[in-house]
Amino acid sequence: MSAALPQIVIRPRRSVIVWLLPVQAVCAFTVWAVINGGQWLRSWLLGAIMFAMALPLLLSLDASLIAMMMFEPLRGFLRRAQYLLVPYSQTDPIHILTPVVTILALAVLLRNQRLHIFRATTLAPFVSLLAAIFFLEIFNPLQGGIVVGLSGALLILVPVAWFFFGQYVDERFVTVALRLIVLLALVTSLYGIYQLTFGYPRFEQYWLDNVEFYNALAVGHVKRAVATFTSAEEWGRYTVLGSLISFGFAIGAQRVLHRAGWIVCGASLSILLLLTGQRTAIFGLVLGFIVLVLLGARSFAGAVTRLFIVLLPLVLVAVLIKPPSEDEMWSKEETETVDTLLSHAERGALQPTGEQSLYVRLKIWQDLVTNVIPYRPLGMGLGAGSLSALKFSTGPQLPNSDNFVLVLAVACGVPGALLFLWILLRANLLAFRATRRAPPGTRAATLSRIVAALFSVFLLNSIFGLTFSLYAVAPIAWLLIGWTSAKASAKESSARESDSLATEIE
């Protein structure tokens, strides 16, 4: 009688030790960094964050993009929190984490798709040309040094890489990404409410006492809240995205409970937007909501009816409600943060032409168009006219235009600004076409409608704002432009194949 005994494989003990060695090294270095504190601990934490964003590249590009999207809205808070460990400095290594991971992701994409990514879709050749102009402008000596150009590249050039990522993501990823934006907008805004209610924590107050070149933080006698973002403008723009996405999903929801939940999210974020004190963001939300509603019309008469229904309450509010005076805003005490910001937002929204800041902005634009840009038609460098020049350049400083198109005209010249504007307008047109062609009631129709509404906001806030240089917003904008371009190319390719097949049959 014989019995078959299972074979037991005994692995060498040293193999376990080899696997444990990296873990032990990490634990030992962590303890050492905590003991030494300061710069070493900050470097270790920043390295861990970058590793957490880059590691998902081993799984897929989508996973790494999600990781970076989760980090960007928290970048401002983490930057301020580091002042618990180190003293304030104008240069901050946290700002290079996402660019490094973005370059790694682009390298992975190039390895898989080769140079085809630069001409893969309808807008790809034009975006590639724009990126080439941005790259060359890094070395423009008129801006005051290559450090200024590199700093400008972090704000303007690096986010363009997300266009190429957008060409290779699918509807499932876009759906997840848009829902993630809504969730992050709600969570981060809660911290903004905390700042308005209880004030800035001590480490953030330390940042406020030392920060330079941020005069727009003050409204009357109070300080704006910035939530977890790097600026109040970034918080406002991100909140607009979350609100419009929520309303878009509410329109496309099939179940009543889902629709009600999305409406609550959209309404909550719309109310929170008032607390950001960003008046141009409010106009962006109104424009995006109007576009979202109009894209559901199936005829011209239906579009006119929808437009009348949407504009009627807005006109009544503008006529019946009297905007607060500027003196009323300045009469608020330092503790009346919410009332001050609401008065500021209400005054700017109901009486935009009565704001002194508008005329100051228009005067700056006039000076740039008549006295600066004509004498530097090919640009002054990628960092010229931005915060980068204020920090690192010793030459003449240009005023903040708060207009991304003019920023590009100063930095990259008239050709670069016109090319960017053409790409943005073309992306809007492609998004509108995709919305009209998508089968009603499908996920594709809902996503196309949301993206088309967001593109209208990107266009408005590129003229009245700096959307494409905001850390948490610019990558999303370029990603959606790339995705829209890929969808348009797929549609054109399908149409050509159908025509070819019809020709062969004939």
Side-chain angles (χ1 to χ4, degrees):
M1 182 177 178
S2 62
L5 298 177
Q7 295 182 353
I8 300 176
V9 179
I10 301 176
R11 296 182 178 180
R13 183 182 300 273
R14 62 182 180 182
S15 65
V16 178
I17 297 176
V18 170
W19 280 108
L20 289 178
L21 283 178
V23 177
Q24 292 172 339
V26 169
C27 294
F29 192 83
T30 301
V31 173
W32 182 82
V34 170
I35 293 174
N36 286 272
Q39 298 288 351
W40 285 105
L41 182 56
R42 180 179 71 168
S43 300
W44 177 242
L45 293 174
L46 293 181
I49 293 173
M50 187 172 68
F51 181 77
M53 291 190 291
L55 184 62
L57 280 173
L58 299 176
L59 300 176
S60 67
L61 174 64
D62 295 0
S64 185
L65 295 180
I66 291 295
M68 286 187 281
M69 289 181 62
M70 295 179 66
F71 167 74
E72 284 301 328
L74 303 176
R75 185 201 291 225
F77 173 79
L78 294 175
R79 178 198 176 189
R80 297 186 291 272
Q82 72 179 348
Y83 296 135
L84 293 169
L85 306 173
V86 295
Y88 178 83
S89 174
Q90 286 189 16
T91 56
D92 199 330
I94 196 172
H95 294 315
I96 68 171
L97 300 187
T98 304
V100 170
V101 179
T102 298
I103 293 173
L104 291 176
L106 185 61
V108 171
L109 187 62
L110 279 170
R111 186 190 63 182
N112 295 332
Q113 303 296 331
R114 306 301 179 183
L115 297 179
H116 179 67
I117 67 172
F118 298 117
R119 51 182 175 82
T121 61
T122 302
L123 294 178
F126 304 99
V127 175
S128 300
L129 177 60
L130 182 65
I133 294 175
F134 288 168
F135 179 78
L136 292 176
E137 290 291 347
I138 294 175
F139 308 98
N140 192 323
L142 297 177
Q143 62 195 329
I146 193 172
V147 175
V148 181
L150 291 174
S151 182
L154 297 179
L155 293 172
I156 299 176
L157 175 59
V158 171
V160 179
W162 285 64
F163 169 87
F164 303 107
F165 302 153
Q167 295 181 127
Y168 297 97
V169 298
D170 54 17
E171 288 185 355
R172 179 178 174 275
F173 172 82
V174 175
T175 302
V176 172
L178 294 180
R179 290 176 176 174
L180 178 63
I181 291 172
V182 175
L183 176 62
L184 291 174
L186 288 169
V187 173
T188 54
S189 294
L190 292 177
Y191 187 68
I193 295 177
Y194 171 85
Q195 290 174 332
L196 289 173
T197 305
F198 302 102
Y200 283 92
R202 182 173 298 178
F203 64 91
E204 291 190 313
Q205 187 61 48
Y206 172 76
W207 167 75
L208 283 175
D209 295 337
N210 290 275
V211 69
E212 299 175 287
F213 315 120
Y214 196 6
N215 298 326
L217 192 64
V219 177
H221 298 293
V222 306
K223 299 290 186 181
R224 300 177 194 258
V226 296
T228 60
F229 297 87
T230 56
S231 66
E233 180 183 5
E234 189 176 21
W235 179 26
R237 300 295 189 268
Y238 202 88
T239 305
V240 170
L241 299 188
S243 180
L244 288 176
I245 292 169
S246 299
F247 287 130
F249 279 129
I251 293 174
Q254 302 297 325
R255 298 182 180 180
V256 177
L257 186 60
H258 291 174
R259 179 169 296 181
W262 285 117
I263 290 176
V264 170
C265 291
S268 300
L269 289 172
S270 299
I271 295 173
L272 291 170
L273 179 62
L274 299 176
L275 301 180
T276 67
Q278 291 295 313
R279 296 165 295 185
T280 52
I282 296 174
F283 287 110
L285 176 61
V286 172
L287 175 62
F289 185 78
I290 292 174
V291 172
L292 197 64
V293 172
L294 292 182
L295 288 176
R298 299 187 179 183
S299 64
F300 179 76
V304 173
T305 302
R306 286 170 177 252
L307 182 62
F308 176 78
I309 294 174
V310 173
L311 290 181
L312 181 60
L314 297 177
V315 173
L316 291 177
V317 168
V319 172
L320 299 179
I321 298 180
K322 182 180 179 182
S325 63
E326 187 174 1
D327 294 337
E328 183 177 346
M329 182 187 69
W330 281 96
S331 65
K332 305 290 184 181
E333 299 294 335
E334 293 184 5
T335 56
E336 299 178 279
T337 53
V338 174
D339 290 342
T340 302
L341 289 172
L342 288 177
S343 298
H344 178 71
E346 184 180 355
R347 174 178 169 79
L350 297 177
Q351 195 178 14
T353 58
E355 288 294 305
Q356 183 64 29
S357 59
L358 174 63
Y359 296 101
V360 172
R361 184 181 304 178
L362 292 176
K363 187 176 180 180
I364 292 174
W365 293 359
Q366 181 184 9
D367 181 64
L368 291 176
V369 171
T370 58
N371 298 325
V372 178
I373 297 174
Y375 298 97
R376 295 289 188 272
L378 298 181
M380 300 173 60
L382 198 58
S386 67
L387 187 60
S388 305
L390 293 175
K391 285 184 176 181
F392 303 111
S393 177
T394 57
Q397 305 297 335
L398 297 174
N400 180 20
S401 63
D402 202 25
N403 181 320
F404 187 74
V405 177
L406 288 181
V407 167
L408 287 187
V410 171
C412 304
V414 176
L418 292 179
L419 180 57
F420 166 79
L421 199 55
W422 185 89
I423 292 171
L424 193 52
L425 291 172
R426 180 66 176 170
N428 274 267
L429 180 60
L430 294 178
F432 289 145
R433 287 179 179 176
T435 305
R436 303 306 299 173
R437 293 172 179 173
T442 62
R443 181 170 66 177
T446 300
L447 293 180
S448 298
R449 193 169 176 178
I450 292 173
V451 170
L454 295 180
F455 280 177
S456 64
V457 179
F458 294 151
L459 180 59
L460 175 67
N461 291 150
S462 292
I463 299 174
F464 294 92
L466 303 171
T467 293
F468 280 83
S469 61
L470 299 177
Y471 298 119
V473 180
I476 296 171
W478 283 115
L479 179 80
L480 295 178
I481 292 174
W483 179 69
T484 302
S485 179
K487 285 190 62 179
S489 296
K491 188 68 177 179
E492 293 173 1
S493 177
S494 177
R496 284 195 299 267
E497 291 178 1
S498 299
D499 293 341
S500 177
L501 181 60
T503 302
E504 291 178 1
I505 294 176
E506 293 178 357

